[in-house]
Amino acid sequence: MLKKVTLMAASTALAVAGLVAGTGTAHAAGSGPGGATNIRGTDPGNTDLMVERFCNQESSLTGIYGAYNVDTGEFQTRDQYLEWAGLWMPLGPWEVFRGWCGYAQASTWSTKGSTVRTSVWIGNRGTRDDKETFVSNYTTKTFAKKSVGGSISLSLAKGIFSGELGGSMNYEWGWEKSSSFERRSEKTIPPCTQVSVSWQPYQRVVRVNPVIQIIDYSWDKLNGNKGTASTWRGRDSSWKTIYSYGYYIDGTSDKLLPNGQPDGREDKWEEKLPSSTCAR
């Protein structure tokens, strides 16, 4: 629950700052998704995985914490860093930071899902055409996947793609609600053939980039003092919110028609039966 509350607070903070609703995948400072600046290729280490690990932490309501080695690019979670450092403070090349995670929409596109059979097979083993009533059933599908790290939980995916945790998902799709249908239709079955009904859903994909809004960032000045800023590595204000271009989450869901029904295409599948099983 702590992580969920933190994420909701983060998305609220980003929304107030006017950051979440932005689009695009530009690499220039401050022009990425949500107005974030891309750190991939500008700082050492695997920054895709760093953002994933940072945002995947359980956190208190004061934010999410991470430690970053500016020489090697190594990232450590708060627990990992405290285990050997003992104190939450920058040491040598290790710099520490705190922030919120949000989910900014980067792009969206339409696609066609895999065709599935939605009725039983009904066969005609006679020598003439036959007509049968087919009952087909279908319920909308949703799924999400990450470009790095493990799988994403369904609860987190629903929070992101329903807009609860940030983003502007202005589409009629199944993340907000599921939909199903049961249809009856009469189909002609040719001789020595079995027939079923299939459905190909039309889908919407939304890609989001997890972004980090920096609360504070500290580094070791090597004279017993530390420097502190509210931007990534103490850079200018365009580095207040950061992301790593290669880390994204794609949410896919069946599209819905204005009447709330699933959008897609129904077809008839035909399959020849062994001639030895049919009348002659």
Side-chain angles (χ1 to χ4, degrees):
M1 288 300 296
L2 284 177
K3 184 176 181 183
K4 183 175 181 182
V5 170
T6 301
L7 289 168
M8 292 181 71
S11 64
T12 300
L14 289 169
V16 169
L19 297 174
V20 171
T23 59
T25 55
H27 291 264
S31 61
T37 295
N38 177 39
I39 61 172
R40 191 184 199 208
T42 66
D43 290 292
N46 186 337
T47 56
D48 294 344
L49 188 58
M50 182 196 77
V51 174
E52 194 274 341
R53 291 183 60 204
F54 177 85
C55 291
N56 200 41
Q57 294 181 89
E58 296 292 338
S59 173
S60 70
L61 295 178
T62 57
I64 304 174
Y65 296 75
Y68 180 62
N69 189 310
V70 296
D71 288 345
T72 66
E74 182 183 357
F75 171 80
Q76 290 188 350
T77 64
R78 183 182 189 181
D79 290 345
Q80 290 173 327
Y81 188 75
L82 288 174
E83 186 174 349
W84 68 268
L87 296 173
W88 189 251
M89 59 182 296
L91 294 172
W94 283 98
E95 300 179 349
V96 298
F97 63 101
R98 178 171 62 110
W100 297 114
C101 284
Y103 299 90
Q105 180 175 315
S107 58
T108 180
W109 61 94
S110 294
T111 188
K112 293 180 180 180
S114 299
T115 300
V116 295
R117 183 166 59 86
T118 55
S119 76
V120 299
W121 288 99
I122 300 178
N124 174 14
R125 300 182 187 274
T127 58
R128 297 180 179 179
D129 286 352
D130 189 15
K131 289 185 180 294
E132 293 286 347
T133 298
F134 288 79
V135 179
S136 58
N137 296 274
Y138 183 78
T139 299
T140 53
K141 306 294 190 297
T142 58
F143 58 92
K145 62 180 180 179
K146 299 192 295 183
S147 61
V148 299
S151 60
I152 182 171
S153 70
L154 180 60
S155 60
L156 177 57
K158 283 185 175 180
I160 294 171
F161 294 107
S162 65
E164 292 177 6
L165 298 180
S168 179
M169 318 308 178
N170 298 317
Y171 305 105
E172 287 292 326
W173 64 340
W175 286 107
E176 284 95 2
K177 56 183 178 181
S178 62
S179 180
S180 60
F181 65 72
E182 179 179 291
R183 294 177 179 168
R184 296 175 181 272
S185 57
E186 188 176 71
K187 308 290 184 187
T188 298
I189 309 175
C192 207
T193 300
Q194 63 176 359
V195 167
S196 68
V197 177
S198 67
W199 178 259
Q200 184 177 42
Y202 296 160
Q203 297 178 327
R204 168 70 64 174
V205 183
V206 171
R207 173 167 294 180
V208 301
N209 283 108
V211 300
I212 301 173
Q213 186 181 57
I214 303 298
I215 299 173
D216 50 57
Y217 190 104
S218 300
W219 61 93
D220 189 351
K221 286 189 171 181
L222 303 179
N223 58 2
N225 297 316
K226 69 175 183 177
T228 301
S230 60
T231 60
W232 175 253
R233 301 198 63 191
R235 295 169 182 164
D236 64 45
S237 59
S238 66
W239 297 80
K240 176 68 176 175
T241 304
I242 61 169
Y243 78 109
S244 188
Y245 181 75
Y247 175 39
Y248 52 83
I249 302 171
D250 287 346
T252 303
S253 182
D254 293 355
K255 295 170 69 175
L256 303 179
L257 295 169
N259 64 4
Q261 290 295 302
D263 191 8
R265 172 177 171 171
E266 182 179 272
D267 285 302
K268 182 175 74 172
W269 278 359
E270 293 187 0
E271 186 177 281
K272 284 294 184 181
L273 295 170
S275 57
S276 60
T277 67
C278 300
R280 297 186 182 182

